[in-house]
Structure formats: C-alpha cells, structure tokens
Amino acid sequence: MEMRGAEQGIPKLWYDKPAVAWPQGLPVGNGRIGAVVMAAPDREVWNLTESTYWSGQAEEGAPAATGGKAALAAIRERLFAGDYAGADRLAKQALQPPKPNFGTHLAMCEVVIEFAGGGEEMAGSGIGVSDRSGELAPLGDSKPTGVVDASCLPFRRELDLSTALLKTTGGPPGSTLVRELFASHADDVLVSRIGSEAAGGVSFTLGIAGLTPEFAVSAEGETALEFRGRATETVHSDGACGVSCRGRVEVETRGGRIRVYDGRLVVMGADEACIYLAVATDYRRESRAWERAARLQTALALSKGYDRLRADHIADYAPLFRRVSIELGPSEEAAKLPTDQRLQRLREEGSSSDPQLFALFLQYGRYLTLAGAREDSPLPLHLQGIWNDGEACRMGWSCDYHLDVNTEMNYYPTEVVHLGESHIPLMRYLEELAHAGRKTARDAYGSPGWVAHVFSNVWGFTEPGWDTSWGLNVTGGLWLAMQMIEHYRYGLDQEFLKQQAYPVLREAALFFLDYMTVHPKSGWLVTGPSNSPENHFYPGRPEEGDWQLSMGTTMDQELVRELFTFCLEAAELLEVDVELRARLTSAISLLPPLQIGQNGQLQEWLEDFAEAQPEHRHLSHLFALYPAHQITPEETPELATAARVTLENRMQQDELEDIEFTAALFGLFFARLQDGDRALKHISHLVGELCFDNLLSYSKAGIAGAETNIFVIDGNFGGTAAIAEMLLQSRPGGEIHLLPALPAAWPTGRVTGLRAKGNAEVDLAWEAGRLTGAAVRTFSPGMFTVYLGGRRATFEAKAGGEYRFDGTLTLQTV
C-alpha cells in the first residue's frame, strides 16, 4: 500500500464574496484568544473573544441545595410509589437552588478596520480616511467618492487549515491589497499584515468598539490603542460582577504615516502595515501583573517582527495538523468552487457529488480543536469553543459548559484525530470540578465524593439547575469525566491514570456507591431522583401529565456501569484500594441491565414509559452505543437492533427537533451500527443544512427556546468524530475495526494518522469499496486484533512496532 505524505490539495475554506456578518466570518484562535474575521474589500472586522472573559463570580456563600439524606429518602419514597407529582414538589423544595451569578462567556470587542481605495491620489489625499472637509469620517459611514466600486473587483478570502493563516486579497488592478492574519499560540498574540501592490497603497483607520457595558479605549502615543473592559451583563448575573480585561493594539508601518484621530489609529500611504493585538484578564490572577501583560506581549511581538512571528506560528501549529491526512475520493470540479457554493451543491446534488467536502469538514474540526484548545489553554472548549456570536448570552441559554452532551461532544473526536494534547485543559477542569463538587455532594445528598449536574461555569458551579424538570441530571459531571477514561485508553499514560484520572473517578465512584439505593421491587441498585436529559415521559395516560424525574434512568446506569468497571480495572492495575474493589464488584452485580421495551426500542427509563416528546433532540440513553461499547452489533445484537429501533422511531417524527448535535449523534450511532450510508446521510444533513457559510454548526431557531439560529460548535466536533468513526473504530483490549461503516459514496480513499485505543496509529487505503492496505503503528506493547468485516488478525505488538496488512488482513511485515 502506498502511503503518500501529502493529501489531495491543501485543505482550505475560501470565498469570493465578502463576509457581511458573523455567520460568514472565519474563525482564528490560539487556544485562548479567538476572533471571527469578517472581511470585505473595504472593511475588516475582528470579533474578538478570550476564553476567560466571563460574567458572574464564584458564589461560595450563596444558598445551595441542602436536602441531604432525609429529603432524598422522602423524594424516593414518592417515586417508588408512583407519585411523580409529589416527588417533583419535594425535589423543588430540597434540590432546586436559586439562580446565582452563574454568568456566561461574552465576546469582548470588535476591531474595525476601514480601508481607503488604491492609487496615488488616494494614498496622497487620504480619501477614505478623512472626508473632503479633512475630518475623519465615522466608521462605516460613507464610501469615498471617485473610487471604483469594490463589488466589481476581484476578491478572495481564504483560511488555510494546514497553516492556520487567513488571507484576503482584493482591490483595483495594480493596487491589490493582500491581508494576512493569524492567531499565534507560540507568541500569544493576534497578528495581521496588510500590503499593497502599489507603493504607498495602504491606508486605513483602525478603531475598537466594546461589546460589554464597561469598556473604554485610549490612545497610547501615535501607534497604539489600549482598551479595558469588564464582562458584565444582566441575564445570567447581576450586571456588577465579571472578569476584567486589558488589551493593546499596536501598528507598525513601512513608509507612510500613522496618527491618532478621534480615538482611532489612522494609517496613510504606507507600503505595508502590521498589526499586533494582545489581551489579558484578571481571571484567577492574585497579583496585578496581568494589567501589564498585553503591553509586554505586543512589545515582544514588535521586537520579533512579522516574518519571525509567522514562521514560529507555523512551526508550532503545522506539525500537529499534519499528523492526519485524508482523501475521500475525487472532487476536482467541486474543489474549484468557493466553500459556500460547495455547501449549496451538497444540498442540491447530495453527498456523492463532493466526497472531499467531508474530508475538509474533518480537517476543519481538527483545526477548530487546535484553534480552541491547546495543552496550556486556561480553560476547555465551551458551548461555542472560544468564539461567541452573542446570541446565547442574551437569552435564557448561556454560553457555558453544558454537561448533557454539548461539552462532551466537543471532545468526541479529540483522541481519534490525533490531538490528545488538546484534551489536557479539560482534564485540569475536571479536577477542579471534582473539588468544587464535594460540597454539593455533601450538602445536596449527604454523600462523600463529588457530583455535578446539568451545566457548569468557570466558577466551579456544580449545583442542580434551577428547575428540577431539567436540572437534576445527577450524572452530568460523571458524563464529562468519561473523557478521562477516553484519554487514558488512547494513550495508556500510567502517570495520568495515577495522578489525575483515577483520583477524580475514584471520588465519583465513592459518591455513587453512597448515593445509590436498592430498588424495593427489582433489587437493582439505582440512581434517583434524576432525569434522562432532557426528555419527558408518561407514567400513565397522557392526559394525566408527563414528568421528568424518576429512579434509575438508563443513561445514569450506563454511566455508573462505565465508572465502576473502569475504577475496578484501574485499582487492580495500580494495586490499590482492595476494599473499594470489593464494593465495586458487588455494586456492578446489582446494576440494572439494559432493557428492550414493548415496541422493540431500547428503554430510556427503568420502566417502559411512553415518551411525551418522541421528537426530542436528546438521545442520551444511547450512550451505551456511542461513545461506550456496551452495545455492539457483534456482542449484543438484540440490543443493537433495539438501538436501531430507537433511532428509526425518532427519525419518523414529523416534528423532530432537528439541530446540530442530534444530526451528529445520528451519524455516530449509525456508524457504530456499521451502517455507513445512513451515517453519511445524517452527516450530509449536518454539513449542508445545519452549518453557516463559514462551516460552523448551529442550533435552529425555535428549538429549546432559541430565538434565532445560534452557533453551537458541538456539531462541528460531533460530525468530525462521525467521519472518523466511519473509517476506524477501536475498543478497549486492542480491538481495531477497519472501514466498519464505509459508505458507498466513498468508494476510493485513504487516511493516515488516526489514533486507536491501546496507544496506536492507523493508516488505511481502499479502492472500489475494498481495503487495499493498512498499517498499524504501536507505541505500547500488547495484543491487538484487527477486524475487517468477517476477517480478523491477531498479533502481539511491541512498542515502536509497525505492522502492515494487505486487503485480506494478511500481515505483510513485522
């Protein structure tokens, strides 16, 4: 098998039209600072974000859920008796805390750059920088007279995923402006260079507009602006608390002049201009050194200069991106089209018209992972990564850490697409969440260990949500902590297991061992009161009402089984906690089995309740199918069939809540059921119908209270994971499944560098729908079994080994 190093073309998003609003802008980020860049021929806007810029505050003295064991026993008594109304009433009294200064992530400001036209006359007169009277025109006010209409001129903007460079070109022949921008992780700055074909052809104004109430801009000399702000708002907090920021924008030119006018920088007649932006916040800062950080960063950037910053940025980013290459078939004609036109073609002609668009989508997901979270990032990815369109912040939603699939899905592809370092900020966050959750476990339930519920923030919020109908997701924190298990299973890092994963998961196990109770009828060990996010059920006739709280929801039991099983294995591996191992073994034997309902579906609750919202967007109880492996077509065929029935039932609903994470989940679930064509159908729908022109996924207006289409990044990551899952699946114990869900629309292709559980990498190539070759590189010793349809090959691997197979799974080299 030929494993070529370069993939088919350079993966780019590109457009021949201006970005007139946020959904057309292109995202850049360095794991902390982010920007969505809206570029047009005569204007560029950077919607600036920083991952720690949150409203709210830690609420250590706020009223909390303080039910304890007595209240818990009373609620459970009602639930066991079938009195769901009574149980809900008691739960609201004991386990529904008031809404504190929870807060939300906020966009910080917009950097607005307005360009003059080209040519000597404009460079010399300053047209477009000042009006005919010599006064500076208001930003965005008027178009200079005597200038060629920019809409008639060639224009292109592109984002090169392989280098994380954003490039914009446009303007009259002979004076075309070339603008390049990147967010440097290596130097922690946002950097832009603007050049012109014509000498002295660079003229523009640069201003900064705050996006939070407390925001001020001041000039620093003739070449810099500084800004300061505070993340305050009144929907999710009291409007008086939040993180403070200080930032600096410095402009350096070659030729021309710079001056300050009306709070903006004015560049006139330069050959070239470079812009350097840095920002810092006081989030978790004990000293005031953060106030000088942005000034220091821009000074360092100026001393290095654009070319070195650019080279260091590429050297830092590109090796990580190059770990994976992918081709999914010829797309020569489609690849010549701008990305928005490729999306339109997908909608009109279907997925087979442009297979390489899905390769681009996977690589875009990898780019967004690297742009949003690096190993040293202060926080993990939230609902919108590190970016923010401002929509979730202004309504009942919050741009936070949703713990009932959204944050989890952000990390579904991280390991398999070979970016495990980007998982590290989440691991640190989970340690802090576990620390904060000890108080909630003690106060709300009278239990040891830790617990978190439906969502969290940067202040360590672990209480139930402020409505029992959706807020009592008692396994929300545990669901997110499953990513620790994933991170370990891919890398087999014993130090990580010992120092981070096992301590956090052990305390979660201690909580559930104490909190769970034996069901008086079945004798099973169950959770509760809890809900199945975020669905309702009918315990009786529909006219008698629907409820959400019950005992032993399927999702809870799947998560607890995964937790207990892993903790038992880890304790044995680490040779610790003999007594705890005995308790875990006993508890596992009492957990409820997965059940099939009377309609052939996988039951969502302990009892075979009818769904009050069969069209609901959440499919949480299918966690056993993905990302867990408790249901597989080979080992549990009856349960796999029941999972398919559940999916079919959901898809048949006319009012299906059609949003980004549901489409991604459908793709993931059908990939696990080894139905590649169905998986591709749903990922095609995600890409074609639930992504903006900039290929960022969104949640539709009208669903879950959304007032408009809202950017939610989990669709990008869920879709990325699904594409990878169609090509490669791996399970604990060294199982690697090659092309398990290859769709007919991808008959020929190749992928290199995907990761498999057990600390391995896999390359694949196929033609006419059949594997032509595979390579497995192993970095830890152990037994591996490679599967291809009905074939399998088992081999004992050594660390640093490479094992190649032909299309029949015959081992070629050892």
PDB file of all heavy atoms in Angstrom, residues 469-494:
ATOM      1  N   SER A 469     -37.120  20.058  36.357  1.00  0.00           N
ATOM      2  CA  SER A 469     -37.529  19.398  35.119  1.00  0.00           C
ATOM      3  C   SER A 469     -36.333  19.071  34.228  1.00  0.00           C
ATOM      4  O   SER A 469     -36.378  18.120  33.460  1.00  0.00           O
ATOM      5  CB  SER A 469     -38.530  20.271  34.353  1.00  0.00           C
ATOM      6  OG  SER A 469     -37.915  21.479  33.932  1.00  0.00           O
ATOM      7  N   TRP A 470     -35.270  19.870  34.330  1.00  0.00           N
ATOM      8  CA  TRP A 470     -34.074  19.592  33.536  1.00  0.00           C
ATOM      9  C   TRP A 470     -32.786  19.642  34.369  1.00  0.00           C
ATOM     10  O   TRP A 470     -31.747  19.172  33.932  1.00  0.00           O
ATOM     11  CB  TRP A 470     -33.933  20.590  32.381  1.00  0.00           C
ATOM     12  CG  TRP A 470     -34.077  22.030  32.799  1.00  0.00           C
ATOM     13  CD1 TRP A 470     -35.212  22.776  32.748  1.00  0.00           C
ATOM     14  CD2 TRP A 470     -33.073  22.895  33.344  1.00  0.00           C
ATOM     15  NE1 TRP A 470     -34.994  24.050  33.224  1.00  0.00           N
ATOM     16  CE2 TRP A 470     -33.673  24.149  33.596  1.00  0.00           C
ATOM     17  CE3 TRP A 470     -31.733  22.732  33.648  1.00  0.00           C
ATOM     18  CZ2 TRP A 470     -32.977  25.223  34.141  1.00  0.00           C
ATOM     19  CZ3 TRP A 470     -31.026  23.810  34.190  1.00  0.00           C
ATOM     20  CH2 TRP A 470     -31.643  25.037  34.426  1.00  0.00           C
ATOM     21  N   GLY A 471     -32.864  20.195  35.567  1.00  0.00           N
ATOM     22  CA  GLY A 471     -31.661  20.462  36.336  1.00  0.00           C
ATOM     23  C   GLY A 471     -31.139  19.321  37.169  1.00  0.00           C
ATOM     24  O   GLY A 471     -30.018  19.387  37.674  1.00  0.00           O
ATOM     25  N   LEU A 472     -31.912  18.246  37.358  1.00  0.00           N
ATOM     26  CA  LEU A 472     -31.468  17.147  38.220  1.00  0.00           C
ATOM     27  C   LEU A 472     -30.833  16.014  37.404  1.00  0.00           C
ATOM     28  O   LEU A 472     -31.142  14.841  37.589  1.00  0.00           O
ATOM     29  CB  LEU A 472     -32.632  16.621  39.054  1.00  0.00           C
ATOM     30  CG  LEU A 472     -32.839  17.353  40.377  1.00  0.00           C
ATOM     31  CD1 LEU A 472     -34.033  16.791  41.134  1.00  0.00           C
ATOM     32  CD2 LEU A 472     -31.585  17.244  41.249  1.00  0.00           C
ATOM     33  N   ASN A 473     -29.962  16.402  36.515  1.00  0.00           N
ATOM     34  CA  ASN A 473     -29.163  15.420  35.775  1.00  0.00           C
ATOM     35  C   ASN A 473     -27.973  15.052  36.653  1.00  0.00           C
ATOM     36  O   ASN A 473     -26.884  15.618  36.534  1.00  0.00           O
ATOM     37  CB  ASN A 473     -28.720  16.029  34.449  1.00  0.00           C
ATOM     38  CG  ASN A 473     -27.773  15.131  33.687  1.00  0.00           C
ATOM     39  OD1 ASN A 473     -27.760  13.920  33.880  1.00  0.00           O
ATOM     40  ND2 ASN A 473     -26.975  15.713  32.828  1.00  0.00           N
ATOM     41  N   VAL A 474     -28.176  14.098  37.556  1.00  0.00           N
ATOM     42  CA  VAL A 474     -27.189  13.833  38.606  1.00  0.00           C
ATOM     43  C   VAL A 474     -25.894  13.240  38.072  1.00  0.00           C
ATOM     44  O   VAL A 474     -24.871  13.243  38.769  1.00  0.00           O
ATOM     45  CB  VAL A 474     -27.814  12.916  39.679  1.00  0.00           C
ATOM     46  CG1 VAL A 474     -27.913  11.482  39.179  1.00  0.00           C
ATOM     47  CG2 VAL A 474     -27.052  12.996  40.985  1.00  0.00           C
ATOM     48  N   THR A 475     -25.881  12.785  36.842  1.00  0.00           N
ATOM     49  CA  THR A 475     -24.658  12.209  36.272  1.00  0.00           C
ATOM     50  C   THR A 475     -24.003  13.140  35.249  1.00  0.00           C
ATOM     51  O   THR A 475     -23.146  12.702  34.475  1.00  0.00           O
ATOM     52  CB  THR A 475     -24.947  10.850  35.603  1.00  0.00           C
ATOM     53  OG1 THR A 475     -26.025  11.003  34.666  1.00  0.00           O
ATOM     54  CG2 THR A 475     -25.297   9.798  36.629  1.00  0.00           C
ATOM     55  N   GLY A 476     -24.372  14.426  35.248  1.00  0.00           N
ATOM     56  CA  GLY A 476     -23.771  15.338  34.277  1.00  0.00           C
ATOM     57  C   GLY A 476     -22.259  15.423  34.412  1.00  0.00           C
ATOM     58  O   GLY A 476     -21.515  15.327  33.428  1.00  0.00           O
ATOM     59  N   GLY A 477     -21.778  15.624  35.640  1.00  0.00           N
ATOM     60  CA  GLY A 477     -20.337  15.684  35.848  1.00  0.00           C
ATOM     61  C   GLY A 477     -19.647  14.380  35.505  1.00  0.00           C
ATOM     62  O   GLY A 477     -18.539  14.367  34.945  1.00  0.00           O
ATOM     63  N   LEU A 478     -20.289  13.276  35.821  1.00  0.00           N
ATOM     64  CA  LEU A 478     -19.727  11.962  35.503  1.00  0.00           C
ATOM     65  C   LEU A 478     -19.639  11.768  33.996  1.00  0.00           C
ATOM     66  O   LEU A 478     -18.658  11.205  33.489  1.00  0.00           O
ATOM     67  CB  LEU A 478     -20.582  10.865  36.140  1.00  0.00           C
ATOM     68  CG  LEU A 478     -20.195   9.426  35.814  1.00  0.00           C
ATOM     69  CD1 LEU A 478     -18.748   9.148  36.174  1.00  0.00           C
ATOM     70  CD2 LEU A 478     -21.129   8.453  36.523  1.00  0.00           C
ATOM     71  N   TRP A 479     -20.666  12.201  33.272  1.00  0.00           N
ATOM     72  CA  TRP A 479     -20.656  12.087  31.812  1.00  0.00           C
ATOM     73  C   TRP A 479     -19.415  12.778  31.253  1.00  0.00           C
ATOM     74  O   TRP A 479     -18.691  12.217  30.422  1.00  0.00           O
ATOM     75  CB  TRP A 479     -21.932  12.716  31.250  1.00  0.00           C
ATOM     76  CG  TRP A 479     -22.212  12.415  29.814  1.00  0.00           C
ATOM     77  CD1 TRP A 479     -21.384  11.842  28.907  1.00  0.00           C
ATOM     78  CD2 TRP A 479     -23.439  12.684  29.125  1.00  0.00           C
ATOM     79  NE1 TRP A 479     -22.008  11.751  27.678  1.00  0.00           N
ATOM     80  CE2 TRP A 479     -23.257  12.249  27.794  1.00  0.00           C
ATOM     81  CE3 TRP A 479     -24.647  13.252  29.498  1.00  0.00           C
ATOM     82  CZ2 TRP A 479     -24.271  12.392  26.840  1.00  0.00           C
ATOM     83  CZ3 TRP A 479     -25.655  13.378  28.541  1.00  0.00           C
ATOM     84  CH2 TRP A 479     -25.473  12.945  27.231  1.00  0.00           C
ATOM     85  N   LEU A 480     -19.150  14.001  31.715  1.00  0.00           N
ATOM     86  CA  LEU A 480     -17.979  14.713  31.232  1.00  0.00           C
ATOM     87  C   LEU A 480     -16.695  13.998  31.660  1.00  0.00           C
ATOM     88  O   LEU A 480     -15.721  13.940  30.900  1.00  0.00           O
ATOM     89  CB  LEU A 480     -17.981  16.152  31.746  1.00  0.00           C
ATOM     90  CG  LEU A 480     -16.902  17.066  31.180  1.00  0.00           C
ATOM     91  CD1 LEU A 480     -17.030  17.195  29.668  1.00  0.00           C
ATOM     92  CD2 LEU A 480     -16.968  18.441  31.840  1.00  0.00           C
ATOM     93  N   ALA A 481     -16.690  13.443  32.863  1.00  0.00           N
ATOM     94  CA  ALA A 481     -15.490  12.762  33.371  1.00  0.00           C
ATOM     95  C   ALA A 481     -15.171  11.496  32.572  1.00  0.00           C
ATOM     96  O   ALA A 481     -14.050  10.969  32.669  1.00  0.00           O
ATOM     97  CB  ALA A 481     -15.656  12.432  34.851  1.00  0.00           C
ATOM     98  N   MET A 482     -16.118  10.995  31.786  1.00  0.00           N
ATOM     99  CA  MET A 482     -15.820   9.862  30.913  1.00  0.00           C
ATOM    100  C   MET A 482     -14.674  10.178  29.955  1.00  0.00           C
ATOM    101  O   MET A 482     -13.985   9.276  29.463  1.00  0.00           O
ATOM    102  CB  MET A 482     -17.062   9.479  30.097  1.00  0.00           C
ATOM    103  CG  MET A 482     -18.200   8.864  30.897  1.00  0.00           C
ATOM    104  SD  MET A 482     -17.811   7.225  31.570  1.00  0.00           S
ATOM    105  CE  MET A 482     -17.573   7.632  33.305  1.00  0.00           C
ATOM    106  N   GLN A 483     -14.460  11.487  29.675  1.00  0.00           N
ATOM    107  CA  GLN A 483     -13.379  11.852  28.772  1.00  0.00           C
ATOM    108  C   GLN A 483     -12.012  11.521  29.376  1.00  0.00           C
ATOM    109  O   GLN A 483     -11.043  11.336  28.645  1.00  0.00           O
ATOM    110  CB  GLN A 483     -13.462  13.330  28.415  1.00  0.00           C
ATOM    111  CG  GLN A 483     -14.701  13.700  27.599  1.00  0.00           C
ATOM    112  CD  GLN A 483     -14.863  12.863  26.352  1.00  0.00           C
ATOM    113  OE1 GLN A 483     -15.873  12.195  26.152  1.00  0.00           O
ATOM    114  NE2 GLN A 483     -13.845  12.865  25.501  1.00  0.00           N
ATOM    115  N   MET A 484     -11.939  11.444  30.698  1.00  0.00           N
ATOM    116  CA  MET A 484     -10.693  10.996  31.319  1.00  0.00           C
ATOM    117  C   MET A 484     -10.408   9.544  30.964  1.00  0.00           C
ATOM    118  O   MET A 484      -9.256   9.157  30.715  1.00  0.00           O
ATOM    119  CB  MET A 484     -10.776  11.160  32.835  1.00  0.00           C
ATOM    120  CG  MET A 484     -10.636  12.587  33.309  1.00  0.00           C
ATOM    121  SD  MET A 484     -10.504  12.687  35.107  1.00  0.00           S
ATOM    122  CE  MET A 484      -9.343  14.073  35.261  1.00  0.00           C
ATOM    123  N   ILE A 485     -11.458   8.745  30.943  1.00  0.00           N
ATOM    124  CA  ILE A 485     -11.290   7.342  30.562  1.00  0.00           C
ATOM    125  C   ILE A 485     -10.839   7.248  29.108  1.00  0.00           C
ATOM    126  O   ILE A 485      -9.928   6.475  28.764  1.00  0.00           O
ATOM    127  CB  ILE A 485     -12.601   6.562  30.790  1.00  0.00           C
ATOM    128  CG1 ILE A 485     -12.989   6.591  32.277  1.00  0.00           C
ATOM    129  CG2 ILE A 485     -12.469   5.128  30.292  1.00  0.00           C
ATOM    130  CD1 ILE A 485     -14.295   5.905  32.590  1.00  0.00           C
ATOM    131  N   GLU A 486     -11.462   8.048  28.229  1.00  0.00           N
ATOM    132  CA  GLU A 486     -11.076   8.035  26.821  1.00  0.00           C
ATOM    133  C   GLU A 486      -9.613   8.445  26.656  1.00  0.00           C
ATOM    134  O   GLU A 486      -8.865   7.821  25.896  1.00  0.00           O
ATOM    135  CB  GLU A 486     -11.981   8.985  26.021  1.00  0.00           C
ATOM    136  CG  GLU A 486     -13.378   8.459  25.772  1.00  0.00           C
ATOM    137  CD  GLU A 486     -13.382   7.244  24.872  1.00  0.00           C
ATOM    138  OE1 GLU A 486     -13.270   7.411  23.644  1.00  0.00           O
ATOM    139  OE2 GLU A 486     -13.479   6.116  25.394  1.00  0.00           O
ATOM    140  N   HIS A 487      -9.232   9.511  27.350  1.00  0.00           N
ATOM    141  CA  HIS A 487      -7.859   9.993  27.221  1.00  0.00           C
ATOM    142  C   HIS A 487      -6.871   8.911  27.665  1.00  0.00           C
ATOM    143  O   HIS A 487      -5.828   8.711  27.016  1.00  0.00           O
ATOM    144  CB  HIS A 487      -7.678  11.260  28.057  1.00  0.00           C
ATOM    145  CG  HIS A 487      -6.349  11.920  27.880  1.00  0.00           C
ATOM    146  ND1 HIS A 487      -5.909  12.419  26.665  1.00  0.00           N
ATOM    147  CD2 HIS A 487      -5.343  12.164  28.773  1.00  0.00           C
ATOM    148  CE1 HIS A 487      -4.712  12.944  26.816  1.00  0.00           C
ATOM    149  NE2 HIS A 487      -4.330  12.794  28.084  1.00  0.00           N
ATOM    150  N   TYR A 488      -7.191   8.211  28.721  1.00  0.00           N
ATOM    151  CA  TYR A 488      -6.298   7.150  29.174  1.00  0.00           C
ATOM    152  C   TYR A 488      -6.278   5.980  28.191  1.00  0.00           C
ATOM    153  O   TYR A 488      -5.211   5.452  27.854  1.00  0.00           O
ATOM    154  CB  TYR A 488      -6.692   6.647  30.564  1.00  0.00           C
ATOM    155  CG  TYR A 488      -5.915   5.405  30.934  1.00  0.00           C
ATOM    156  CD1 TYR A 488      -4.565   5.499  31.267  1.00  0.00           C
ATOM    157  CD2 TYR A 488      -6.509   4.147  30.873  1.00  0.00           C
ATOM    158  CE1 TYR A 488      -3.817   4.351  31.544  1.00  0.00           C
ATOM    159  CE2 TYR A 488      -5.776   3.006  31.160  1.00  0.00           C
ATOM    160  CZ  TYR A 488      -4.430   3.109  31.484  1.00  0.00           C
ATOM    161  OH  TYR A 488      -3.697   1.984  31.746  1.00  0.00           O
ATOM    162  N   ARG A 489      -7.423   5.559  27.715  1.00  0.00           N
ATOM    163  CA  ARG A 489      -7.478   4.364  26.865  1.00  0.00           C
ATOM    164  C   ARG A 489      -6.755   4.565  25.541  1.00  0.00           C
ATOM    165  O   ARG A 489      -6.250   3.604  24.954  1.00  0.00           O
ATOM    166  CB  ARG A 489      -8.934   3.958  26.641  1.00  0.00           C
ATOM    167  CG  ARG A 489      -9.523   3.243  27.857  1.00  0.00           C
ATOM    168  CD  ARG A 489     -10.961   2.873  27.670  1.00  0.00           C
ATOM    169  NE  ARG A 489     -11.415   1.984  28.753  1.00  0.00           N
ATOM    170  CZ  ARG A 489     -12.686   1.776  29.060  1.00  0.00           C
ATOM    171  NH1 ARG A 489     -13.649   2.397  28.378  1.00  0.00           N
ATOM    172  NH2 ARG A 489     -13.019   0.958  30.035  1.00  0.00           N
ATOM    173  N   TYR A 490      -6.713   5.787  25.064  1.00  0.00           N
ATOM    174  CA  TYR A 490      -5.973   6.030  23.822  1.00  0.00           C
ATOM    175  C   TYR A 490      -4.472   6.077  24.064  1.00  0.00           C
ATOM    176  O   TYR A 490      -3.694   5.557  23.276  1.00  0.00           O
ATOM    177  CB  TYR A 490      -6.445   7.326  23.163  1.00  0.00           C
ATOM    178  CG  TYR A 490      -7.619   7.125  22.245  1.00  0.00           C
ATOM    179  CD1 TYR A 490      -8.922   7.210  22.713  1.00  0.00           C
ATOM    180  CD2 TYR A 490      -7.431   6.841  20.892  1.00  0.00           C
ATOM    181  CE1 TYR A 490     -10.008   7.021  21.873  1.00  0.00           C
ATOM    182  CE2 TYR A 490      -8.504   6.647  20.033  1.00  0.00           C
ATOM    183  CZ  TYR A 490      -9.791   6.738  20.537  1.00  0.00           C
ATOM    184  OH  TYR A 490     -10.860   6.545  19.691  1.00  0.00           O
ATOM    185  N   GLY A 491      -4.039   6.727  25.149  1.00  0.00           N
ATOM    186  CA  GLY A 491      -2.623   6.936  25.347  1.00  0.00           C
ATOM    187  C   GLY A 491      -1.947   6.002  26.322  1.00  0.00           C
ATOM    188  O   GLY A 491      -0.716   5.889  26.329  1.00  0.00           O
ATOM    189  N   LEU A 492      -2.723   5.326  27.190  1.00  0.00           N
ATOM    190  CA  LEU A 492      -2.193   4.398  28.205  1.00  0.00           C
ATOM    191  C   LEU A 492      -1.108   5.052  29.068  1.00  0.00           C
ATOM    192  O   LEU A 492      -0.113   4.418  29.442  1.00  0.00           O
ATOM    193  CB  LEU A 492      -1.649   3.123  27.547  1.00  0.00           C
ATOM    194  CG  LEU A 492      -2.646   2.280  26.749  1.00  0.00           C
ATOM    195  CD1 LEU A 492      -1.958   1.020  26.233  1.00  0.00           C
ATOM    196  CD2 LEU A 492      -3.877   1.942  27.566  1.00  0.00           C
ATOM    197  N   ASP A 493      -1.326   6.320  29.399  1.00  0.00           N
ATOM    198  CA  ASP A 493      -0.369   7.062  30.213  1.00  0.00           C
ATOM    199  C   ASP A 493      -0.596   6.711  31.679  1.00  0.00           C
ATOM    200  O   ASP A 493      -1.563   7.146  32.298  1.00  0.00           O
ATOM    201  CB  ASP A 493      -0.573   8.566  29.984  1.00  0.00           C
ATOM    202  CG  ASP A 493       0.453   9.422  30.713  1.00  0.00           C
ATOM    203  OD1 ASP A 493       1.030   8.960  31.706  1.00  0.00           O
ATOM    204  OD2 ASP A 493       0.646  10.577  30.281  1.00  0.00           O
ATOM    205  N   GLN A 494       0.309   5.913  32.230  1.00  0.00           N
ATOM    206  CA  GLN A 494       0.140   5.433  33.599  1.00  0.00           C
ATOM    207  C   GLN A 494       0.222   6.563  34.620  1.00  0.00           C
ATOM    208  O   GLN A 494      -0.473   6.541  35.640  1.00  0.00           O
ATOM    209  CB  GLN A 494       1.212   4.380  33.916  1.00  0.00           C
ATOM    210  CG  GLN A 494       1.145   3.159  33.015  1.00  0.00           C
ATOM    211  CD  GLN A 494      -0.173   2.399  33.143  1.00  0.00           C
ATOM    212  OE1 GLN A 494      -0.538   1.981  34.229  1.00  0.00           O
ATOM    213  NE2 GLN A 494      -0.868   2.237  32.031  1.00  0.00           N
TER     214      GLN A 494
END
